[in-house]
Amino acid sequence: MAYGPNIEEADRRVATYVAKILKGAKPADLPVEQPTTFELVLNLKTAETLGLTIPPALLFQANEVIR
């Protein structure tokens, strides 16, 4: 199980920062941004191997389920 920021959104934010820097902005003047979108990914194959049972409510909330 993993819970963390959306990587695609982070990549887009990095691209925005790079564009601002290439247009002449000083990196030190750019604000620090925190992720706003998080994802929950569950790996059922690993859970089965470890003998764990994932509750259906948690499966329903997951953004991605690896089978």
Side-chain angles (χ1 to χ4, degrees), residues 19-41:
K20 288 178 182 179
I21 292 169
L22 292 176
K23 290 180 182 178
K26 294 181 182 178
D29 294 337
L30 295 176
V32 175
E33 295 183 18
Q34 295 184 8
T36 57
T37 306
F38 292 86
E39 292 184 340
L40 174 63
V41 179

Side-chain angles (χ1 to χ4, degrees), residues 10-26:
D11 289 345
R12 283 190 292 272
R13 288 178 183 260
V14 168
T16 303
Y17 271 83
V18 170
K20 288 178 182 179
I21 292 169
L22 292 176
K23 290 180 182 178
K26 294 181 182 178

Side-chain angles (χ1 to χ4, degrees), residues 40 42 44 54-65 67:
L40 174 63
L42 299 172
L44 289 181
I54 306 295
L58 192 57
L59 287 172
F60 181 72
Q61 293 177 353
N63 297 92
E64 182 180 352
V65 177
R67 298 185 189 274

Side-chain angles (χ1 to χ4, degrees), residues 1 43-54:
M1 176 167 53
N43 188 329
L44 289 181
K45 185 176 179 181
T46 301
E48 279 184 16
T49 302
L50 295 172
L52 302 174
T53 303
I54 306 295

